[in-house]
Amino acid sequence: MKTRILTAIIAAAIFLPLVIIGETPFVILVYLLGTIALKELLRMKKIQVLSLPGLIGFIFLWVLLIPHSFLIESVGANFSKIEAALIVVMLLLIYTVISKNEFTFDDAGFIILSTVYVGVGFYYLIETRMAGLSYVFFALFVIWATDSGAYFIGRAFGKRKLWPEISPNKTVAGFVGGVLSALLVGLIFQIVSPLHPSLLFVLVVTVVTSLFGQMGDLVESALKRHFTVKDSGHILPGHGGILDRFDSLLFVLPILHFLQFI
């Protein structure tokens, strides 16, 4: 427990100031986090990080993470990330031929899906910070409230398991408790620092955010169970890997944008 708390303090001391500063230092941090997260996924699948397919995956990730404003100003509106994705698909499929199927179609699909999963989530972390610091803190507070509420209410009242095949410790009571805790935080946040004229809209967004945050956590749990690993990595003692800490955020931030909340 002491290790977990100490790691959390050190991580917060690094992460939060860079979130507040924003701009290039924050973008560099997100690139680093995304790169480590993809590395964790490749290791789960036992794909060599420094192999040609691995390097293609990293380059694709770095392209996906390019901020929209930088893309328009420096690269030009004609550049399309969809076209980049198609090139990556073709390169990886060609490599299945070159490697004589030692690198398989399944491996190629895993790299593409993993890169999009990590890349889109962290891309929207950059875009959310550029939209305003309050939006980042809203997402973080709702996720933290969901996690805390699910943990404490689940321990106190949880009897019926939520999804034992995926995450045996999660309960239905914890799931509901997480949403209720998030609602309370969303209400407080709207009172202290309003993000939208409509309180009802903010509360609806809070519920959706809490639900998708918990689903993001379950998705990563399913990944780890499939690959029979306890944690995605070991970079954060007591917490696991980068994916273990950002799994909810990777789902939440795109949803907030799709709901036009940000």
Side-chain angles (χ1 to χ4, degrees):
M1 181 59 73
K2 289 182 179 179
T3 301
R4 185 178 179 87
I5 294 172
L6 181 60
T7 300
I9 293 172
I10 294 173
I14 297 172
F15 180 72
L16 293 179
L18 289 174
V19 171
I20 294 170
I21 292 169
E23 303 296 336
T24 302
F26 181 67
V27 173
I28 292 173
L29 173 65
V30 175
Y31 263 78
L32 179 61
L33 294 173
T35 300
I36 295 172
L38 181 57
K39 176 183 174 182
E40 291 173 351
L41 283 169
L42 293 181
R43 284 188 169 178
M44 284 189 200
K45 182 66 171 171
K46 293 182 172 55
I47 295 174
Q48 292 296 319
V49 172
L50 295 180
S51 64
L52 180 59
L55 293 175
I56 290 173
F58 284 119
I59 293 171
F60 183 32
L61 171 71
W62 298 332
V63 170
L64 288 179
L65 290 176
I66 298 174
H68 179 71
S69 57
F70 179 84
L71 197 63
I72 297 300
E73 294 171 6
S74 304
V75 183
N78 291 329
F79 179 83
S80 170
K81 291 183 181 182
I82 295 178
E83 292 172 355
L86 291 174
I87 292 172
V88 168
V89 169
M90 288 188 289
L91 288 175
L92 290 175
L93 291 179
I94 289 171
Y95 191 72
T96 64
V97 176
I98 294 174
S99 69
K100 299 178 182 178
N101 261 342
E102 288 186 13
F103 177 80
T104 67
F105 189 90
D106 288 345
D107 294 329
F110 181 85
I111 291 178
I112 294 165
L113 186 57
S114 296
T115 307
V116 172
Y117 165 47
V118 170
V120 170
F122 279 115
Y123 165 77
Y124 278 110
L125 178 55
I126 295 173
E127 293 298 308
T128 301
R129 177 59 188 90
M130 289 184 172
L133 185 60
S134 296
Y135 294 108
V136 178
F137 280 121
F138 172 82
L140 290 174
F141 287 153
V142 169
I143 289 172
W144 291 339
T146 299
D147 290 345
S148 299
Y151 177 77
F152 289 110
I153 294 176
R155 281 179 63 94
F157 305 104
K159 293 182 180 179
R160 183 178 178 185
K161 298 296 183 180
L162 177 67
W163 222 313
E165 298 85 0
I166 299 299
S167 185
N169 294 326
K170 288 182 171 56
T171 64
V172 174
F175 186 85
V176 175
V179 174
L180 294 177
S181 300
L183 267 175
L184 178 60
V185 167
L187 176 61
I188 295 172
F189 202 98
Q190 179 67 4
I191 293 172
V192 175
S193 178
L195 294 177
H196 193 275
S198 171
L199 172 61
L200 178 60
F201 180 69
V202 172
L203 294 180
V204 171
V205 168
T206 301
V207 171
V208 174
T209 299
S210 180
L211 292 174
F212 271 86
Q214 294 193 66
M215 288 309 301
D217 183 51
L218 286 168
V219 165
E220 209 238 346
S221 294
L223 266 172
K224 291 188 293 186
R225 185 163 289 270
H226 176 72
F227 290 109
T228 62
V229 296
K230 183 179 182 296
D231 297 311
S232 65
H234 307 287
I235 194 170
L236 301 171
H239 292 265
I242 295 301
L243 271 178
D244 292 316
R245 291 299 89 204
F246 286 87
D247 50 6
S248 296
L249 206 64
L250 292 179
F251 266 55
V252 162
L253 293 176
I255 291 300
L256 290 178
H257 278 264
F258 298 158
L259 292 174
Q260 297 185 341
F261 183 69
I262 299 173

